[in-house]
Amino acid sequence: MIWWLASLAADALPGPGVTAAALADMAADGRLVSIVWRLAAFMGACFAIAVVLGVAGGLAIGMSRAGDRGLSPYLAALQGMPTSMWIPVAAIVLGTDVWSLGAVVTLGAVPAIMLGTRTAVRNVPPLLLRAGRTLGESGTSLVKRVVLPAALPGIMTGVELGWSIAFRCLVAGEIFSGALSGTGIGTVISRSRQTGDLTEMMATIIIVLAFTVLIDRLVFSRVQSRLRTRRGLVDAGLPH
């Protein structure tokens, strides 16, 4: 209703009906499938690299007091920096191709995942660590069998935050320049700028919103629910 009223007040804003028709056209000619497939493949590859780097780095920092004191403030500063500052740097250093956007998306998510992992590791109860060492765990074995399982809920929170930052980096990169397109969204943005027609742009926004909701419902929500269930944190009288 609000969208429809806004489209009546602003002539340039396409209404729900026109946008739905554009979505149907995009589905018919294959553009919708192309955008969703490229979006999933691009974000999947970039975010997988970010998770590996972020979790490994966060574990290393969290297990070292000196590393924590020396690196955590800089990671917090990097996390707080606007994404738009890195986009032109990446474009100049790496060129205006898909690798440039991939670097921005990947590196944008790493600080948040590292900080989330570091905080989760630092919050592991010392008694649990002592119990692990008493049972003969040490080094890599201690991390694998004690630290990681105990810190996993906090790590997942950092991963979720990293995903949202990575997605903002993707959209910001494609808005900055159509040449930095890795999913096809940048091409749509560039075409809408040239023609002044926002119909395809609004349809693409709906696609992106639907994609993010699906990822949250099908991936993150299920993982968090499973973690809570395994730890006995789900009350039978309350919703999961």
Side-chain angles (χ1 to χ4, degrees):
M1 177 63 72
I2 296 176
W3 181 6
W4 178 71
L5 292 175
S7 66
L8 293 178
D11 294 336
L13 181 65
V18 177
T19 303
L23 279 171
D25 291 339
M26 293 173 73
D29 61 21
R31 283 177 293 163
L32 189 151
V33 174
S34 175
I35 289 177
V36 171
W37 165 247
R38 294 169 67 181
L39 188 62
F42 187 83
M43 283 297 298
C46 293
F47 193 64
I49 296 172
V51 169
V52 171
L53 295 176
V55 172
L59 284 172
I61 294 173
M63 296 294 291
S64 169
R65 291 183 181 274
D68 184 21
R69 289 194 299 267
L71 295 178
S72 290
Y74 298 101
L75 290 173
L78 286 173
Q79 181 182 343
M81 290 184 67
T83 304
S84 56
M85 295 183 64
W86 295 112
I87 296 171
V89 174
I92 293 172
V93 175
L94 300 176
T96 55
D97 57 17
V98 67
W99 301 108
S100 178
L101 182 59
V104 172
V105 172
T106 301
L107 297 179
V110 168
I113 299 174
M114 287 184 69
L115 283 174
T117 302
R118 166 260 177 199
T119 301
V121 170
R122 300 297 292 174
N123 287 336
V124 173
L127 184 61
L128 193 61
L129 296 176
R130 286 198 296 269
R133 292 190 179 98
T134 300
L135 294 175
E137 306 292 351
S138 63
T140 304
S141 177
L142 181 68
V143 172
K144 181 180 178 181
R145 297 178 181 273
V146 178
V147 176
L148 268 178
L152 196 53
I155 292 174
M156 277 304 304
T157 300
V159 169
E160 285 192 64
L161 178 59
W163 169 265
S164 65
I165 293 175
F167 212 91
R168 287 201 299 269
C169 290
L170 170 68
V171 175
E174 302 228 30
I175 289 175
F176 179 79
S177 172
L180 292 184
S181 180
T183 64
I185 297 175
T187 303
V188 174
I189 294 170
S190 179
R191 184 160 54 241
S192 297
R193 283 174 176 171
Q194 293 173 2
T195 63
D197 184 6
L198 296 180
T199 305
E200 188 180 11
M201 174 75 77
M202 288 298 298
T204 304
I205 291 173
I206 297 299
I207 294 172
V208 171
L209 287 175
F211 178 80
T212 56
V213 170
L214 283 174
I215 293 297
D216 178 70
R217 294 292 91 192
L218 297 179
V219 180
F220 293 118
S221 292
R222 290 188 177 185
V223 171
Q224 291 284 16
S225 177
R226 187 169 298 179
L227 286 174
R228 291 195 300 270
T229 301
R230 286 182 176 180
R231 284 162 170 75
L233 301 176
V234 177
D235 191 326
L238 295 176
H240 290 206

